[in-house]
Amino acid sequence: MGKFKIEKGDITLYEVDAIVNAANTTLLGGGGVDGAIHRAAGPQLLEECKTLNGCDTGKAKMTKGYLLPAKYVIHTPGPIWHGGDNYEDVLLKSCYQHCLKLGESSGLKTMAFPSISTGVYGYPVEQAAGIAVSTICEFLKWTEVVEEVIMVCHDEHTLQTYQRALNEYLEESRM
Ligand code: ADP
């Protein structure tokens, strides 16, 4: 059983076994958190990403962390929000599940996630937070490998939304 934390910060500064990158399907870099991770990791990250032949939405692939304080980066392309009737929820849950399973199978103890899809990809943060929190918390109940997962929120609104989602999840699981 692992611990779950929600913090405000910059994910590129986290000294954990793996940080998750909200990537795009090319894995060749972009804006937002993806751009920040590539800048902080240095050009070798892009070189390794070029060998991966992209990644499907909802799946995940792992690279080394290079100049980052994190040992590894798990790249996952989140769904682009198209109104909510295009399996966005299924795909977002799949992102978190694939990253967590990859962490588990790679023996990672500490992982940090950004708020996948809620930036440029336009996923409403209230809905994304509910999916992220429940998927991570359910995983942490059974894992015997991952000891800590940190949700790293970049801004105050995202932080408060994830904290509210956690409180709602905890209240519901008490009922
Ligand atoms: P997506 O394309 O999946 O929406 P974005 O990078 O545009 O990805 O945004 C995802 C989330 O990551 C947003 O909440 C954004 O504010 C946040 N973010 C941007 N930079 C960082 C960072 N350095 N550390 C943590 N979160 C970040």
Side-chain angles (χ1 to χ4, degrees):
M1 176 134 172
K3 273 191 292 187
F4 181 49
K5 281 189 194 164
I6 300 171
E7 296 178 358
K8 189 166 145 186
D10 176 351
I11 203 165
T12 64
L13 303 177
Y14 275 70
E15 201 177 329
V16 286
D17 289 335
I19 61 170
V20 171
N21 180 15
N24 58 47
T25 54
T26 68
L27 299 185
L28 299 181
V33 70
D34 195 359
I37 288 172
H38 275 273
R39 275 193 299 279
Q44 281 180 296
L45 178 60
L46 182 60
E47 289 310 309
E48 186 175 355
C49 284
K50 282 180 186 165
T51 68
L52 300 177
N53 295 313
C55 182
D56 292 337
T57 301
K59 301 264 174 68
K61 290 187 179 177
M62 190 157 80
T63 65
K64 287 188 268 185
Y66 299 99
L67 301 179
L68 288 164
K71 286 189 205 120
Y72 298 98
V73 180
I74 298 176
H75 305 264
T76 185
I80 299 172
W81 181 258
H82 289 296
D85 291 332
N86 298 278
Y87 301 100
E88 290 93 336
D89 53 349
V90 176
L91 290 167
L92 187 64
K93 188 177 177 71
S94 170
C95 286
Y96 284 96
Q97 284 176 325
H98 277 92
C99 291
L100 292 163
K101 277 186 200 152
L102 198 50
E104 170 95 11
S105 62
S106 308
L108 306 185
K109 290 192 166 70
T110 52
M111 298 175 72
F113 281 86
S115 176
I116 299 165
S117 284
T118 67
V120 174
Y121 281 3
Y123 207 117
V125 63
E126 285 74 16
Q127 293 175 51
I131 292 170
V133 165
S134 61
T135 309
I136 293 169
C137 289
E138 291 301 322
F139 167 82
L140 287 172
K141 282 182 192 165
W142 62 262
T143 180
E144 289 177 358
V145 176
V146 181
E147 294 173 0
E148 183 171 79
V149 172
I150 308 166
M151 192 73 222
V152 183
C153 301
H154 203 47
D155 59 83
E156 193 60 36
H157 173 68
T158 302
L159 177 73
Q160 287 176 9
T161 307
Y162 275 79
Q163 283 170 336
R164 213 175 316 121
L166 178 59
N167 289 337
E168 281 166 18
Y169 173 81
L170 293 173
E171 269 168 35
E172 273 169 30
S173 39
R174 241 180 266 126
M175 290 193 299

